[in-house]
Amino acid sequence: MRPNGKNKKRWGLLWQFFTCNERRGVVLLGIGVILLYAAIQAVMLRHDRTAPDGENQPEQQTAEGQHSFADSLNGRQGQPDEAYPPSSDEGRQAPVRLTPVAFDPNTADSLTLRRLGLPQWMVSNVLRYRSKGGRFRRAEDFRKIYGLTQQQFDTLRPYIVIAPADSDGSASVPPVHSPSATQQTSSLLLARQHTDSLPARPQVQKYAPGTTVDLNRADTTELKKIPGIGSGIARLISNYRRQLGGFYRVEQLGEIGLDHHQLAAWFRIDTTALQRLDVNRTGIEQLRRHPYLNFYQAKAIVEYRRKHGPLKSLKPLALYEEFTPDDLERLSHYLSFD
């Protein structure tokens, strides 16, 4: 309905009752409402133009990244490897530098995986996959971890040791034999089968029961004379000994998949042969290469030296969350404070 002349006259009379300031306020208020409405419409129009279907792509990529690891291995063990590109945030991160040591991806704990140099989110994917009943049946299956590059996999591939599975899916462990048993020459010393453990080569003269060798001084030739140890296992022990700086107990052989219970009868250990790192002069890169130190622990040591001066013992490191009591106990055999 159009306002008639009487209504116009009534509004005109009412307008005359407003003071000059009140009229100016009403006009400004009206202009403000119009500008606010126009601004809202402009923002909504711009949002519609610049937010196509790909607006939620980062969130979708994140969700896909969280599920791609389990999906990549679940039911596709025999298919070729698939490449999963990292998300945009991951692509901006610095490349992961790996510090490889022998490990079984089906049994390695989070600390072992972190010491390899894998980021925490990748370690979580591995543990989550295993908690749901997943299993790595071949070394190539480890390549399917979301975010692991081909170059990183090639670095880790020689160190992946996967235990054989029984019919129920559990890892098979060879029976324990007494060192005095005559059948010991045919028993396996590995709790996890190594692909190069017992190659078909000319028979090596083995030591008689009761013989012991120094674990820190024996070369590969001497190690192969122990019943059940072939060239592959001998190299595995020698390489890990070099990375550690020596062994301080036989149980450390379990860290590379060997059955230390059977090996204990054949080895003695001279701890004076241990090679120690000078904790007050060694840089981050050399510290992190030790199997018992990761990047964050090495960084904590260097930061403490910078702020408080040289370390005189490992006690100050107990205040850092990066170090557990077990970590400090193991490191005490390999660090010096000269």
Side-chain angles (χ1 to χ4, degrees), residues 128-188:
R128 187 181 303 112
Y129 171 71
R130 286 180 0 203
S131 67
K132 294 181 179 179
R135 175 176 173 80
F136 300 93
R137 304 184 184 279
R138 303 176 304 161
E140 289 73 16
D141 292 338
F142 200 69
R143 170 65 183 90
K144 299 177 183 178
I145 295 180
Y146 179 76
L148 186 69
T149 65
Q150 184 63 46
Q151 182 180 3
Q152 293 168 349
F153 172 73
D154 292 339
T155 302
L156 293 175
R157 174 63 183 85
Y159 298 88
I160 298 176
V161 181
I162 296 182
D166 293 331
S167 58
D168 61 354
S170 61
S172 63
V173 180
V176 177
H177 296 271
S178 170
S180 60
T182 58
Q183 298 179 349
Q184 186 175 16
T185 56
S186 60
S187 65
L188 295 179

Side-chain angles (χ1 to χ4, degrees), residues 15-34:
W15 182 258
Q16 292 178 0
F17 283 103
F18 291 140
T19 64
C20 182
N21 290 335
E22 289 173 342
R23 293 175 184 175
R24 185 180 298 109
V26 171
V27 173
L28 292 176
L29 179 62
I31 294 175
V33 171
I34 294 173

Side-chain angles (χ1 to χ4, degrees), residues 101 109-113 115 240 244-249 251-252 254-256 274-277 290-294 297 314 322-337:
V101 294
D109 57 14
S110 59
L111 183 60
T112 300
L113 295 174
R115 283 175 177 152
Y240 194 54
L244 283 173
F247 296 96
Y248 66 90
R249 60 179 184 174
E251 286 77 6
Q252 289 175 279
E255 298 169 7
I256 53 176
L274 290 176
Q275 298 178 3
R276 298 174 179 266
L277 292 173
H290 195 278
Y292 290 166
L293 285 170
N294 58 37
Q297 292 170 330
L314 291 177
E322 288 85 358
F323 294 93
T324 66
D326 290 338
D327 291 335
L328 296 177
E329 193 281 327
R330 292 189 298 183
L331 288 172
S332 64
H333 300 277
Y334 298 101
L335 300 181
S336 65
F337 305 91

Side-chain angles (χ1 to χ4, degrees), residues 25-72:
V26 171
V27 173
L28 292 176
L29 179 62
I31 294 175
V33 171
I34 294 173
L35 292 177
L36 179 62
Y37 177 79
I40 294 175
Q41 293 298 321
V43 171
M44 293 179 64
L45 180 61
R46 182 179 179 183
H47 176 77
D48 293 339
R49 289 179 178 178
T50 60
D53 296 337
E55 177 183 3
N56 296 325
Q57 186 174 0
E59 290 80 0
Q60 294 172 358
Q61 290 179 350
T62 302
E64 292 172 359
Q66 294 174 350
H67 298 289
S68 60
F69 170 72
D71 295 339
S72 65

